Each structure stands twice: as C-alpha cells, then as structure tokens.
Amino acid sequence: MATDYKNTLNLPRTDFPMKADLVSREPERLKKWEAAELYDKIQRQRAGADKFVLHDGPPFANGDVHIGTALNKILKDIIVKYKTLRGFSVPYVPGWDCHGLPIEFKVSQEMRKGSAGGSPANFDAVIIRKACDAYARKYIDLQRTQFKRLGVLGDWENPYLTLNKEYEADELRLFADIVARGFVYRGKKPVYWSIPCRTALAEAEVEYQDHVSQSCFVKFPVVGQPKTFIVIWTTTPWTLPANLAVAYNKDFQYVSVKVGDENYIVFRGLLAAMAAKCGWANYTETPFPAEKLSKLEYQHPFCHRTGRVFAADFVTSDTGTGFVHIAPGHGQDDYNLGRANGLPIYSPVDDDGKFALTNDLPVEQQMPAEMVGKSILEKHGKSDANEAVLHELRVRHALLHQENYHHSYPHCWRSKTPIIFRAMDQWFIKIDHKVGQASRLPGECVSASSQEIAPTASARAGETPALLSFRAAALAEIDRVKWIPDWGVNRIKGAVRTRPDWCISRQRTWGVPLPAFYDAKGEAILDAQIVRNAADLIEKHGSNIWFEKTAGELWSLVKPANWTGAEAVAKSNDTLDVWIDSGSSSRAVLMRRQELSHSALHTPNSALDWQADVYLEGSDQHRGWFQSSLLLSLAGNGAAPFKTVLTHGFMVDADREKISKSKQGGYEKPQTAEAYVKKYGADVLRLWVASQDYRSDIVVSEERINKVGETYRAIRNALRYQLSNLYDFDPAENSVPDDKLTGLDRWILGEFSKLEAEVLAAYDQYEFHVVYQKVSQFIAVELSSVYHDVIKDRLYTDAANSPRRRSTQTALHRLATGLCQMLAPILAFTADEAWEFLPGKNVNSVHEANWKSQTFVLSETENNFWKILFALRTNALPELEKSRQSKSIGKALEAKFSIKFPKPKVERGMEHLGSYLILGDWTGLEVNSLVSAETIQILQEILNVSKIEAAISDSVKAWEFIVSKADGQKCERCWHWETDIGQNAEHPTICGRCVEAVKQFKA
Ligand SMILES: [Zn+2]
C-alpha cells in the first residue's frame, strides 16, 4: 500500500491573508476597535501606571485633513502607541482650533452669496457667529472621521475645542492672570494690517512672498540752504504723507554731491550706485560731516511742515542713500525713533486702507486734499495711493529716480495681499514687561481651580527683587526645555528675542471676546476681576452672550461688587487673537483635564504636575503655537507648558515646493490624506511616514510610497510565514526552555534581541526612520534569506512534536510576538491583524499588550561560532551554485558537500586556522567544534544539502570545498538523499528520520 507521504508533512497553514487588502480591511478593524471601546479599555488597563502626556496641537477646523496634517497626527500616534505598549498611561486628547479668520472668511462669503449681494457687515454678529460655529463643527466631524481612519487612537468623543464655553472661560481666566500681572496695555503702535480682511494680524499670520515694489529716490529740501537736498529712498511711496523725520547713521561718511546747480547730501558708499541710477554724468563731491546732519531741518516735499534729522543704528549701507525716511505710524523702527524724539504716532490711513486725515497734526500740515481717500491696496502691483504720491513728487520735481524693486515682503496669509504697517489703538502683551528677579515667574503654583497667585519665596521674605524682563525669563525658560532637533532652540530663541509686543486684539467677530469696556471719556477699562467675572458668565452661557447683551447689561453682570473705578458706557468689540485661544490650552486642557495630570508624581504645587511631556508640531510653530503656548503659560502659569518639543518638516513635492494644488502637466498632486488612504491604505501611509526622517522636509512621491509598499509586503509575508507554522503550537504546552533550544533558534533569538534593543533606542529617541530601516533590514536578511528558509525542512518534515520542531516554533512564536509589538505603533492595523492569529496571547489587541524586551543574550563564544558558520555559508553557496550550473547536481539537496580544513597552527599559544581567520573571531572556540556532529548537522541545514563531510587535514593549506552527488537515494518524503532508504519494509521509499516521523504521525 503506497502511503501519500505529503499528508504526513507539517505543511504551513494560516487564515492570515497574504493579500493585505488594506483599503477594505482597515475600516472593518476600526469598527472592531470602536465596538470594543479599545481606547477606553487601554486607559482603564493603564490606570495608575506612569503617565506620559503628548499634548495635541489643534488643527484648524476647516477643510479635509491635509496630507501634512496627517503626517503630524500619525507621528503623534506612533509615540502614543509606543509609550502605551511600553506600559505607560498615555491619554491622548485631540483638539481643534475653531475660531479665526479662515472660518469667518468662508462663512461670510457663503452668507453673501446667499443674501443677494448683502455685505457681511450687515449681518448681526451673533448670526455670523452661529454660522461659524456650525461650520467649524461640520469640519470637526469630517476631520475626526479622517483622523480615525488613519488608525489614530484617542479620546475622539471628548476632544478639546477652542469654541467650547469651558475652554473659552479657562482661556479668559489665564488672560485675567496676565492682566493682573500688568502684562496687558492698550497703545497706539504700528501693527500688521490686512486691508481686505480689515484686521490686525499676528506675526504668525504673516507670510513672506516675493514682491515688486515701486521704489523711488526723493529730494527733501534743506531749510535755509537753497538748492540743497537730503535724498531719501523708499519702497513704499504711500508712507511719505506720514513722514515726520529722516534718520542717518552717525558712523557713515556723507558727502554733498553737486549735480548741475543742485546739491544732494548722500552716503558716500552708495554714491556710485545712485549716480548710475539717476544718470549723474558729471558731479563733484565734498565731504559733509555727519555731526552737522542733526542740526538740519528739511521741508516735507509736498506737505506744509518741516522735519528734523536723527541718528539711528538701523540705517544700513547696503541699499538706498544712507538716509531713511521716518513715518512713526508705519514701521517699528520708525515708531521707536519717533517715540524717543517726541514725534506723534501719525498714521493717516483708515481701516479700509485709504488715506485719511487725523487729529495728530493740524489739517493744513497734512496731505493735499486730492490724496485723501486714495487706496493703498495694490492691484496688479499698483495702488492709487502710490500713484498719487509719485504724481505729486513728479510735478514738484522732487522725484530723482523711480524703479521696480524685487524683494521679500510680508503678505496676509488669508487674502495673500501685501500687508501694511499701520499704527492704531490695539491691545498688547508687553514682552519686555518687568517681572521680577527669579528666573521662574511668580505664580509657579497656579492650578486650574485657584485664581490666587502665590507670591514667590523671595517676595515673601520681603526682599526687593531686581527686575527681570519677561523676554529674558522666556529665553531662560526655553533653555529648560528639550528641543528636538536641537536647532529648534535657536529658532524659537531667535523668534522670542526679536519679537515686538504681542498685538492681541482683532477687529473680528468669530473669536473669544476681549472683555474690556470704555468709560464716558473713551478710556479703556480692563480689569482682572472683570475678566474673571466675564469668564464665569461665558462658562455658563457661551461667548455669544457678549455679543447679545448691551454694554449696560454686561457691565451690570460683570462689574465687581467693590468697583470704585469709572463706570462703563461701551463694551469692546474686539476679539482675542486666535493664538491666544490655542496658546491657552495649558490652562484649558493640561490643567483642566484630570486624566492629563501627572498627579502620581505627588508634586501638586509644581509645574511638573501639569506640564506635557511632549509637544510635536511642524517647524513653523516656533513662530506660532510653541511660542504662544510658551509665552502665555509662562506669564500666566509660571512655567513652560512642555518638557520636550519635537518638530517635523513639511511635505514637499519632488521640486521641494510645499505641497499645494499645483497642476503640472495636467497632473494634480493630491493634498488630502484621504486620497492616499483610498489608494494605499492607512498602514502603507503610516509606514511611509515612519520611513522618512521627518526632521527635515519630506518629499512626497508615488515612487517612494510604492517602494515602501514593497517593504510592507515583505513584512506581511514574514509575519504570515511565522503564523502559518504556529497553527499546532500552544506556547503554554509546547514552549522549549531557552537552554534546550537548538543552536539555530538561539542564534535568531539572539539576533532579534539585538534588533529589539536598537529599535527601542530608536523609538525612545523618536527616530522612527531608524526603526523602519532596522526592522525591514532584519526581515529581508536574517529572516527571509536565512532563518525562514533554513528552518523549512525541520518544520515540515520532523515529527510534529519533535523537540527540534518545537524549539523552532518557540522561536517563531517569540519572533512573531516581538515583531507585532515592534510594528504596532507604525502598522497599527496590520500588527493588530497578525496579533489575532498568535496562539496563547493574553490580550485581544496588540495595542493592549505590554512590550517587555526579550533580552536573549548569547555568549560571545556562541556569537562567534555563528558568525563563522555564516561566513562559511557565504563562501560555500557559490560553490554549490557552480555545481548546479554545470549540471553535476540538480537541486542542492542532491549534493554532498565536503570541506577540508587545514590543520590548525599553534602560534603564541593560540590555535588558529591560518587563512580562515578571515572567517571571524575565534575567541573561545575550539577548532574541533567545526567538525563536530552538531556543526555538521547545522551546516547541512544552512547549506540545505543532504550530506556534509568535514575533516581537518594535513594535506590542505587553505580550506577546500568539494561538491559531489550525494550517496544513496532520494527520500520520497523529505527529498533528502540518504543511504538508509529501503531499510524499513513498511516504508521502503523513505529515510530513517522520516520513518520515525511517519510512525509518530500515525500514533
Ligand atoms: Zn526523509
């Protein structure tokens, strides 16, 4: 009776599919997670564990999830999942930034369309705000679905929204503390102004673009010196009506240049360039001592007033004339110089960006009547205001030269138009506010519930602290934070060092009201207690109440009982800068939400109790959220809100352009995360994100994603191979103890342990691309091309329960478990899918697992032994291949492989194998171990041949390989060539080893 021996083999089997089919399978897994309430379950399991808080920077609640936002969320999720696996309690509270111009802009547009030409100004503020609220919530729902689809786990049902009334109230309470400490003032200062958006802008709302300005060289007649002029140069002719002074640099050499019958005073270093531009062919120059300049007075070129000349360091020698025209109402340097010299902060421009007369100067000293009403807003590079000024200069023969000037100029992030600097009354946070001596600010001990500020120790002791500026305190605080990559520290320091006072008021509707009032004289009332009362009111009713109630009603609701100040007659219509919203999350989220508290540290009155472990955002946030969060938290809570700040670059396309809707050759690069998820699945996108060194910009290309797709398949196949050989393995029953494992299994577990140590270090340093490289390399080399291949024979042909097969299954089980955990932070879906097929798991989802490192350490001797065997394999395989090529053998299993080693030499008391030293380090190894029965069996497996003959010989000087045909016959079951075939009458066609396996199979 012929037996079908194929049925007696332990062939692999598993239901873990080869084809990933992520696009349809991932959503099913998401449903499973939701049904199991996986996030909540994990939080419960980790209750009481050490806490790790990654605080989410809130994306704007408009539009689909951009691919760059997806990158940010995936990186955060990798950290959250990794730290969770390592046993931490890692609550993740996602947030959304809900107020602000982008939404108000869109909503106003839609309302205008719907109302047949009505202007949004005609709409009641409350109506606009309700529409904005609905708009924001619509996109929060949409983005929430898209973030979940990426596999991001978090408290999606309870996110923080800056439009929530509790959030708004906490934001105002933080603001009240800052008001109480004297940081906030109302002043007339130049601010960035967007004409189309009719609002002041924050630093972070300004973007620099290339711009062509109309620059001009203008003659300012010197009073009392006929035909003598100071020459200024400007790129903003529209600021000339606001000119009140001229600045020079006292370190420059000035000259008086005689051209025809006129004399021009200019900086000597720029004379040649000017002469070329103005076409001065013949001129003579005489020195004009700088110290005489400050005595000069000049006549404004077209207004009935005179101005004076002041020294200033900001006058540079690279372009222009060495003189800077000063309009204190239109520039920061100008403002400072104007203030220092008692000039009015004159800004003759209205909210629409049109020339207007003001009360700062007598009307007859202001611009000619025909200029009033001309608009500064540029259309196609020209503006009515610039044209009117240039015309005026031309007719008065004051224009020496005019040309186009290419430079980088600030633009409004929404309307993309050039911004203007414009002095107006706004609310500011004073950055150079004097805050005290301690490098920590007072109020270190503020908690969310307490409104009282604890004095610092030194203040309590009655010392007189030397005053420290808030800017210096912020710079010192920056040094206490860890910045990754480390250049982040310089970037944020640079931003903080140079930033002007923070303009925090906006003339917009969709925001948190700035709860100030005005008295009958028009004086502003901003009081910490009033702000706190307003916060309580808003926490109860929402911030619409500020817009619904009259000033009188509000005043009666929030006026402190013991108020002795002036009575309010009007309320402020300003809203707070949206960067105050998101920047207040330290108070409104970190301090407010119980699950984020590090209370286990038992440091209730210290910042450590609420500080987040990590903030992670794009590198533009050094100017944005990192900075606003730091400044507000330091001013209001007494410490930075973060311990570590991680930054990532941006998604750029192959031309290093920021990803935008650029159509090139009719091909539109998708910008939304969804486009990629629908094509590749979330896990391939996640793996691709992990594969990139995110510290610099990330190039998005289909080619790169496809390449990562190949790695994904290799990982999946490796997991599948392991799982498919564990179908009859119960780790509790069948595991083999470490010291009983076969050498080969010990070797792979040793290698895996090394990999694991490297992967853990990489995760701990947030270097996910290193995780990707190490894991994919290990799967390609150690697993796929060595171990998985070599163990096939023993897995399939040994008796199912043989110690050797169980040993290898023990190793495979550990490898699969370890790989699932190692990959789970990145391949959130696939690792979980594979985990389901693991026998003997103690939790249902890999994301609930507790990843303990395996630390399987081989002795140095054992390690060296394996290094030598694999070096031998590398040298032997080509010999086998040669024999196959020459047809002297067919398959490798037909081969007998004879190795002759030369007799060891003894030198300096050490035995060694002459030329085989190249094979590796022999420390601790005996040469005879190379020809032991165990080694021969291993060599047979790793070379996949039927027979090995190894001997130490006098006759060879270097090693020798001889490949010949194996003796005996081919076993029908295992295909090895053996000499014991036919010895068993019952099984005449199979080898002795197979006879044993078949016997056990039957039993
Ligand atoms: Zn056999």
Side-chain angles (χ1 to χ4, degrees), residues 51 163 167 304 478 505 578 609 614 663 678 709 721 853 923:
K51 196 141 285 188
L163 57 68
Y167 190 103
H304 295 295
I478 287 169
S505 43
V578 285
D609 194 43
V614 167
K663 274 187 188 173
K678 278 185 175 159
Y721 175 85
S853 43
T923 310

Side-chain angles (χ1 to χ4, degrees), residues 187 238 330 674 926 959:
W238 64 267
H330 292 297
E674 216 178 29
E926 283 196 31
W959 61 2

Side-chain angles (χ1 to χ4, degrees), residues 39-53:
Y39 172 80
D40 292 330
K41 202 172 159 198
I42 293 171
Q43 300 316 305
R44 281 196 303 274
Q45 287 165 352
R46 291 289 188 275
D50 284 351
K51 196 141 285 188
F52 184 91
V53 175

